[in-house]
Amino acid sequence: MNALNVVLLVVFPYVAVIVCVFGVAYRYRRRGFSVSSLSSQFLERRQLFWGSVPFHVGILVVLFVHALAILFPGVVVTWARDPVRLLVLEVTEYVFGMSVLVGLGFLIFRRLANPRIRAVTSGMDIAVQLVLLTQVALGLWIALDFRWGYTWFAAVLAPYLWSLVQLSPETAAVFALPVTIKLHIIGAFTLVFLVPFTRLVHFVVAPLHYLVRPYQQVIWNWDRKAIRDPNTPWSRTRPVNN
Amino acid sequence: MSATSPKDVRSQIAMVFHLDKCIGCHTCSIACKNIWTDRKGAEYMWWNNVETKPGTGYPGKWENQDIYRGGWEVTADGVRLKGAGKPKSLTNIFHSPHLPVIDDYYEPFTYKYLDLIESAAGDDQPTARPISMITGQPMDIKMGPNWDDDLSGSPDYARQDPNLERLSPGEREAMFQLERMAFFYLPRICNHCLNPACVASCPSGAIYKRGEDGIVLINQDVCRGWRMCVTACPYKKTYYNWSTGKSEKCILCYPRIESGQAPACMHSCVGRIRYLGVMLYDAAQIEAVASAPEAEVVQRQMDMLLDPFDPAVIAAAQANGVADSTIDAAQKSPVYKFVKQWHLALPLHPEFRTLPMLFYVPPLLPVMATVSQVDRGEQSRQINPVGKHWPDTWLYDTTTKELFGTIDDARFPLEYMARLFSAGDSAAIAGCLKKLMAVRLHRRRETVGDVAADTVATALADTGLTPQLAEAIYYLTSLAKFDDRFVIPAAHREQATELLEFTGDVRGATGFGFKAGSAKRGA
Ligand code: SF4
Ligand code: SF4
């Protein structure tokens, strides 16, 4: 039992993160063509709205709150000491969690029911959706069954994750957690593991730099002024998109 | 034309399509399809398509930006994208509200030809059922890329043409009266705009304009399928590949251009309606021109195109790194002649403000005849009863005396043409058409001789043409050879390679063209 715990809660997280980092780097640099959101809106528009929007908005909020709790456990606990605040936090998280679940449900239904979408569905797409579904369902179940997660999350989970980061895993508390929570942790690292092999990779290339770039883009294949100047060394007229 | 001296001179490969010459044969579309889009996910794409006007086009009603939200609009704080941009390209990323779906184009199909051969013997002739190229399932074909060709299905298509909006109901009805019915073809490719909405909308920054020749391309390795360009391009000339999850568009056959060949659609054009050449323009003016009041957009765009013979322009171009051969090509450019010297060609829907660099010579479609009712009884009686004759009483009379009267009274209301080519300025259209008419009269006198000399002289004078100019227009319109129609700057073979590769990298390589893994011994 302990060996299994070690494999799944200590070894697997490391494997998942390493695979994710190197896999994404490789795919981005060498297989750039395969990095896409693979949007299927072009084939089906209406159902997608009811799936994609609640799912994405929900998951962004949920992940954001998770990230806060992991990065600043102390702050979150202190802030949420007031029961009203804690309630607000839990309810918000739960509502957005439900929105993820409903959206995902729509998306899975659409993927299976619409023949056009089935035509652009790969096995990995289904796999990702099933893992996500399990993960979200577990999360919602945990939120109900082990309420006031922000206290134990800060006391048990955040230190565990930080200990992993610091390469000196502290596992006693985590190994003692109920199996649903353990599955949720394993699910999370499964998703991390899957990023380089699936369409999940699209969130890595979320185009936030759009906000700071000028609208128009012109690319010169060489420095157009230098190339007319016979005194410029060739190394400085290197094509810029090469 | 350098009232103010140009600041940032760049060169652009520009085009002219002469609509009077298009016969609607779709050869151009097929040439393009064979080379570029005969692939999974791209079956529905026609980087080059030919539409019948009036008609709704491809994708349906693409000109109606209330539906598709393409192009730019002018607001209090300048010009901005209508359906995309900052922050819309990001906030709409999970679901893009104005993105067309494949049914707005058509569901690509093929036929189960094998059934013709492999069906079991039976009482009925086997048929090849249409099947969807997306799902592979049998389907009912509801649309094709040119479903409304030659005004077929007019009630559903031609009458829905968004450009008819400004016409009075009377004018519209007149257009669709059987004996007035007319149409023309509008071949369309990407306009390789100076202010491309597709580039501006792309959140990934995958779309760019090439500095050297102005061709607009999508980097397939950087595109992430956020599909904002499809919404943003008002001409719907970027297409989403539903299989690869990347957007694609006309590349103006850049590999051919780089090696001095005309793009495939232009090379194969049966009507020889297409011209391609270099235009020099002042890039510093782009934003100002794009935000000009609607009535001025066309004129301002014409003004930013520079005279390649002007020494100041030449000097500025050279200083900006434009090759001498490119400047030379700009001086010989057929596009320059049509657009700037003769003022015969106009951009399609300039009100979208992308500053398109594909110009159209509007079709003259002259009323060359009148129709009247006569009694053909005597004639019919004389014809052998077996002989074929039209039993109707209409007379198609080609003896018209009018000079320009027919232009204001053209089969297409000028207003309609103005919606297409001049942001509503009918005078600009009338100007083009009158010139075309004057050239025709001039040539008619030369060849047939039944037009009086003073009639021709008046016509030419009215439109500011001389016989020499009329001859030049006639030559480039009707007789021009391949090399007159396509003036592509010297290929710069030495640099053409560098458009794709940096030659310094392969110096000292094995000589097999590999860059990676070459043994540079002792280096
Ligand atoms: S026509 Fe459309 S796709 Fe082509 S450059 Fe202009 S905006 Fe971009
Ligand atoms: S090939 Fe030329 S003539 Fe034929 S449809 Fe195309 S543009 Fe028109």
Side-chain angles (χ1 to χ4, degrees):
Chain A
M1 189 64 214
N2 205 31
L4 192 62
N5 271 333
V6 170
V7 168
L8 290 178
L9 293 174
V10 180
V11 178
F12 180 58
Y14 283 117
V15 172
V17 170
I18 290 170
V19 166
C20 176
V21 169
F22 285 97
V24 166
Y26 174 80
R27 186 164 169 192
Y28 184 80
R29 295 184 63 109
R30 290 298 161 96
R31 300 274 181 274
F33 183 67
S34 78
V35 181
S36 165
S37 61
L38 292 176
S39 163
S40 56
Q41 183 183 351
F42 187 65
L43 297 177
E44 196 287 321
R45 168 163 55 187
R46 207 162 305 146
Q47 290 171 346
L48 180 78
F49 177 80
W50 297 107
S52 175
V53 176
F55 172 78
H56 280 101
V57 171
I59 202 134
L60 283 180
V61 174
V62 169
L63 281 181
F64 178 70
V65 179
H66 273 65
L68 274 188
I70 294 170
L71 292 175
F72 313 105
V75 180
V76 174
V77 169
T78 329
W79 186 83
R81 202 162 277 155
D82 174 4
V84 179
R85 286 184 182 175
L86 184 58
L87 194 67
V88 169
L89 199 64
E90 293 255 331
V91 169
T92 320
E93 181 86 335
Y94 204 79
V95 166
F96 281 98
M98 283 306 289
S99 136
V100 176
L101 188 71
V102 170
L104 189 61
F106 256 107
L107 289 176
I108 294 178
F109 168 76
R110 168 176 178 270
R111 206 157 265 288
L112 297 176
N114 188 317
R116 284 185 184 172
I117 307 299
R118 267 215 310 278
V120 290
T121 298
S122 69
M124 270 311 205
D125 292 344
I126 303 283
V128 166
Q129 286 190 326
L130 291 183
V131 177
L132 270 173
L133 187 69
T134 320
Q135 185 67 354
V136 177
L138 278 172
L140 289 170
W141 173 251
I142 291 167
L144 276 187
D145 208 26
F146 306 94
R147 240 157 294 162
W148 322 128
Y150 285 96
T151 50
W152 59 258
F153 190 99
V156 179
L157 265 189
Y160 153 71
L161 290 171
W162 276 111
S163 73
L164 287 184
V165 173
Q166 287 154 0
L167 302 181
S168 57
E170 271 172 36
T171 49
V174 174
F175 286 3
L177 281 175
V179 73
T180 30
I181 302 183
K182 282 191 201 163
L183 283 177
H184 194 67
I185 300 172
I186 296 166
F189 283 107
T190 310
L191 286 170
V192 171
F193 180 87
L194 284 175
V195 168
F197 308 107
T198 60
R199 61 196 300 145
L200 282 181
V201 71
H202 75 274
F203 86 84
V204 182
V205 290
L208 295 174
H209 57 287
Y210 180 58
L211 292 174
V212 292
R213 80 158 164 85
Y215 271 128
Q216 296 299 358
Q217 298 204 108
V218 177
I219 291 187
W220 299 88
N221 286 290
W222 51 73
D223 182 332
R224 55 201 170 116
K225 288 177 191 166
I227 205 151
R228 288 182 73 94
D229 176 0
N231 299 318
T232 330
W234 57 265
S235 56
R236 275 206 265 127
T237 54
R238 192 181 176 88
V240 287
N241 64 344
N242 202 339
Chain B
M1 188 57 243
S2 59
T4 54
S5 67
K7 292 195 183 62
D8 185 2
V9 179
R10 295 185 194 166
S11 80
Q12 163 83 36
I13 301 278
M15 302 151 272
V16 165
F17 288 5
H18 197 308
L19 293 185
D20 258 336
K21 298 170 69 185
C22 179
I23 58 172
C25 61
H26 298 273
T27 309
C28 44
S29 308
I30 297 299
C32 177
K33 168 120 313 231
N34 277 341
I35 300 186
W36 301 119
T37 58
D38 193 10
R39 292 171 282 126
K40 185 167 184 210
E43 305 95 342
Y44 85 94
M45 292 180 202
W46 294 85
W47 293 355
N48 179 111
N49 77 299
V50 183
E51 293 169 9
T52 301
K53 281 282 163 196
T56 46
Y58 158 89
K61 300 195 190 154
W62 61 270
E63 292 155 293
N64 187 342
Q65 304 309 346
D66 292 337
I67 303 178
Y68 292 118
R69 300 296 166 103
W72 302 82
E73 63 188 357
V74 174
T75 60
D77 32 288
V79 62
R80 58 153 213 203
L81 289 170
K82 213 173 192 162
K86 304 171 193 179
K88 275 191 207 156
S89 281
L90 294 184
T91 49
N92 288 342
I93 209 157
F94 305 134
H95 183 273
S96 182
H98 305 291
L99 182 79
V101 286
I102 193 152
D103 304 287
D104 291 321
Y105 303 77
Y106 70 103
E107 182 167 354
F109 52 85
T110 182
Y111 297 90
K112 265 185 137 172
Y113 294 107
L114 221 55
D115 284 359
L116 297 179
I117 302 167
E118 295 190 340
S119 300
D123 293 341
D124 305 316
Q125 185 114 334
T127 53
R129 290 176 75 186
I131 49 170
S132 162
M133 289 179 89
I134 303 176
T135 61
Q137 298 304 310
M139 64 176 270
D140 287 330
I141 302 173
K142 299 208 186 68
M143 267 280 265
N146 58 343
W147 217 229
D148 54 347
D149 227 18
D150 299 352
L151 291 185
S152 63
S154 296
D156 287 343
Y157 299 108
R159 280 176 189 272
Q160 306 287 329
D161 185 325
N163 301 296
L164 297 172
E165 224 166 70
R166 299 286 175 92
L167 303 189
S168 69
E171 276 176 312
R172 272 191 233 188
E173 276 323 300
M175 271 179 82
F176 290 102
Q177 275 168 20
L178 201 53
E179 57 278 12
R180 282 184 64 108
M181 196 95 114
F183 59 82
F184 64 94
Y185 300 107
L186 181 70
R188 301 199 299 121
I189 67 172
C190 164
N191 300 293
H192 297 277
C193 309
L194 295 185
N195 185 33
C198 55
V199 176
S201 70
C202 175
S204 303
I207 315 185
Y208 62 98
K209 196 170 178 67
R210 300 212 301 189
E212 288 78 8
D213 49 19
I215 296 176
V216 177
L217 296 175
I218 303 181
N219 185 336
Q220 292 287 300
D221 278 351
V222 179
C223 170
R224 308 290 174 217
W226 305 126
R227 69 224 172 273
M228 295 302 156
C229 54
V230 183
T231 298
C233 171
Y235 303 93
K236 290 292 166 277
K237 280 294 168 192
T238 49
Y239 300 87
Y240 182 71
N241 183 317
W242 52 265
S243 177
T244 61
K246 305 270 167 165
S247 294
E248 302 179 7
K249 66 180 284 301
C250 158
I251 59 175
L252 204 59
C253 287
Y254 74 85
R256 291 174 61 96
I257 295 243
E258 280 169 16
S259 57
Q261 303 175 68
C265 59
M266 313 212 177
H267 199 142
S268 64
C269 176
V270 173
R272 302 184 179 183
I273 79 155
R274 299 181 176 215
Y275 302 81
L276 179 133
V278 172
M279 288 292 248
L280 300 180
Y281 69 99
D282 184 4
Q285 293 182 35
I286 291 176
E287 191 172 344
V289 175
S291 20
E294 189 156 305
E296 291 172 24
V297 178
V298 179
Q299 194 49 49
R300 296 282 298 272
Q301 184 180 356
M302 296 296 168
D303 290 347
M304 78 189 282
L305 306 173
L306 303 169
D307 175 1
F309 298 97
D310 181 340
V313 171
I314 296 176
Q318 284 173 334
N320 226 0
V322 179
D324 290 336
S325 55
T326 306
I327 298 173
D328 184 51
Q331 293 176 339
K332 300 194 181 113
S333 167
V335 180
Y336 181 72
K337 291 189 182 124
F338 272 117
V339 175
K340 282 284 282 188
Q341 286 186 321
W342 302 334
H343 302 289
L344 275 176
L346 295 164
L348 178 62
H349 285 300
E351 73 275 16
F352 297 159
R353 297 172 184 278
T354 61
L355 310 184
M357 287 304 272
L358 160 53
F359 301 88
Y360 291 88
V361 178
L364 184 52
L365 290 167
V367 180
M368 298 301 281
T370 50
V371 178
S372 52
Q373 241 175 337
V374 290
D375 176 19
R376 288 221 177 103
E378 189 50 36
Q379 198 184 3
S380 299
R381 275 187 292 281
Q382 283 172 9
I383 294 177
N384 174 339
V386 186
K388 268 205 174 145
H389 67 277
W390 295 107
D392 65 26
T393 52
W394 294 103
L395 175 71
Y396 191 71
D397 180 7
T398 53
T399 53
T400 171
K401 286 207 179 61
E402 289 290 329
L403 259 191
F404 297 132
T406 54
I407 283 175
D408 296 321
D409 189 31
R411 283 184 281 187
F412 277 102
L414 284 180
E415 180 91 359
Y416 176 81
M417 294 297 206
R419 278 318 321 155
L420 277 171
F421 300 114
S422 62
D425 178 5
S426 310
I429 300 286
C432 286
L433 297 185
K434 283 186 178 172
K435 270 189 200 161
L436 293 174
M437 191 61 147
V439 173
R440 282 200 191 194
L441 290 171
H442 166 77
R443 283 306 303 172
R444 174 110 186 165
R445 176 166 167 76
E446 296 288 309
T447 50
V448 184
D450 63 350
V451 185
D454 57 335
T455 313
V456 175
T458 326
L460 290 179
D462 273 2
T463 52
L465 293 177
T466 61
Q468 292 75 20
L469 269 180
E471 278 301 311
I473 295 173
Y474 159 67
Y475 176 82
L476 199 56
T477 306
S478 307
L479 304 177
K481 300 286 180 288
F482 194 86
D483 291 339
D484 301 317
R485 285 180 281 130
F486 307 109
V487 182
I488 300 166
H492 292 292
R493 283 175 167 277
E494 73 286 5
Q495 295 172 3
T497 325
E498 289 171 21
L499 285 171
L500 292 172
E501 311 237 298
F502 178 53
T503 46
D505 282 349
V506 270
R507 255 189 349 190
T510 49
F512 296 109
F514 307 127
K515 281 199 292 187
S518 63
K520 289 186 192 167
R521 269 178 247 154

